[in-house]
Amino acid sequence: MTRQLENEFKFLVDADTFHYVLEEYDCIDKVRQTNYYFDTKDFILTQDNITLRCREIEGVIYLQFKIKQSGNSMYVSSIEMSKKINFLPMHIKNSFLIKQFDNVPKKYNGLLFEKIGLLVTERYSIIIKGIIIYLDKNYYNGQIDYEIEIEFTTNTLPYAIDVIDTLQLKDKKSNYGKKKRLLRSINYRTRERKEN
């Protein structure tokens, strides 16, 4: 199991900005990943700022448990735990989750987390000023969006801020992560079907 503190800036951009940055800088890596999100029917994990997902990259599946910590208005901090598993589950029992990770809150005892949706990402990695930048083209529920993620540590924060200035991203901060955008699209689609 891996465990890390993740600090990241997230920006939603338009397709033109995304492609401009991708053409302007050399891509060092490209992967296609599928995130399968899990929660209870009443979305208890979402309410607690927790993400439970299985991430599949080139046939390898990782069970991931991400607990959002405090951040500020510009960036998000999370504790992310990840473990390679041999299968993609249809649902996840809390008892299974507890065996994989040590920080699962006890209040979830006995709960069953069901698959609530999936999001596919084409992730391009570039380096600007010594920092790896992720350019994500996301597909979910018939929608496409473009996101730039900048992960940083305390030591690299000044460089990350410099990259934000270089790419002119300050006004493009994303208020919602991938999971919340997926959930908003599901809620929108549900309302749309009810109205028709």
Side-chain angles (χ1 to χ4, degrees):
M1 178 190 81
T2 62
R3 177 190 174 107
Q4 66 177 14
L5 176 64
E6 180 182 76
N7 298 309
E8 58 188 348
F9 292 99
K10 296 179 180 223
F11 303 94
L12 275 180
V13 298
D14 59 32
D16 290 341
T17 301
F18 181 89
H19 292 295
Y20 170 78
V21 173
L22 191 55
E23 289 170 11
E24 196 69 20
Y25 298 92
D26 291 332
C27 180
I28 60 168
D29 192 28
K30 177 186 174 188
V31 297
R32 184 176 179 94
Q33 61 189 32
T34 303
N35 290 323
Y36 301 89
Y37 293 96
F38 295 81
D39 208 330
T40 59
K41 289 180 181 177
D42 57 355
F43 299 101
I44 192 169
L45 295 178
T46 301
Q47 292 171 29
D48 289 344
N49 288 316
I50 293 175
T51 297
L52 174 60
R53 69 184 173 209
C54 286
R55 176 172 282 176
E56 184 175 5
I57 304 172
E58 297 178 2
V60 180
I61 301 168
Y62 300 91
L63 177 65
Q64 297 180 326
F65 193 74
K66 191 171 182 176
I67 305 169
K68 187 175 181 181
Q69 305 293 295
S70 61
N72 69 26
S73 61
M74 285 297 292
Y75 69 87
V76 176
S77 291
S78 303
I79 294 174
E80 184 173 301
M81 295 166 277
S82 182
K83 184 170 185 179
K84 186 175 169 182
I85 58 175
N86 297 322
F87 62 96
L88 179 62
M90 292 304 295
H91 58 267
I92 299 172
K93 291 182 180 179
N94 189 59
S95 56
F96 174 76
L97 202 55
I98 289 171
K99 290 177 186 173
Q100 310 307 312
F101 305 120
D102 56 2
N103 265 22
V104 179
K106 298 208 183 304
K107 74 179 194 175
Y108 302 142
N109 283 348
L111 294 181
L112 180 70
F113 305 106
E114 298 179 13
K115 199 182 300 179
I116 57 171
L118 68 89
L119 181 145
V120 176
T121 299
E122 290 176 8
R123 172 166 276 188
Y124 302 85
S125 302
I126 61 173
I127 296 179
I128 304 175
K129 302 184 188 233
I131 295 182
I132 297 176
I133 312 298
Y134 300 110
L135 300 162
D136 292 347
K137 183 176 181 181
N138 303 301
Y139 304 85
Y140 53 98
N141 289 329
Q143 297 185 36
I144 299 174
D145 68 30
Y146 300 88
E147 184 176 32
I148 297 177
E149 292 187 5
I150 304 171
E151 293 185 9
F152 65 92
T153 64
T154 306
N155 294 336
T156 61
L157 177 59
Y159 303 109
I161 291 171
D162 195 26
V163 169
I164 292 166
D165 290 339
T166 298
L167 298 178
Q168 300 176 354
L169 296 173
K170 272 190 180 170
D171 298 332
K172 296 174 172 60
K173 181 188 172 292
S174 175
N175 292 322
Y176 303 103
K178 288 178 178 69
K179 177 183 160 191
K180 287 205 175 164
R181 295 197 309 271
L182 169 68
L183 290 176
R184 288 171 60 95
S185 76
I186 291 169
N187 289 339
Y188 175 77
R189 289 239 186 250
T190 302
R191 281 196 311 272
E192 191 177 66
R193 279 195 292 272
K194 286 179 182 176
E195 290 172 1
N196 292 333

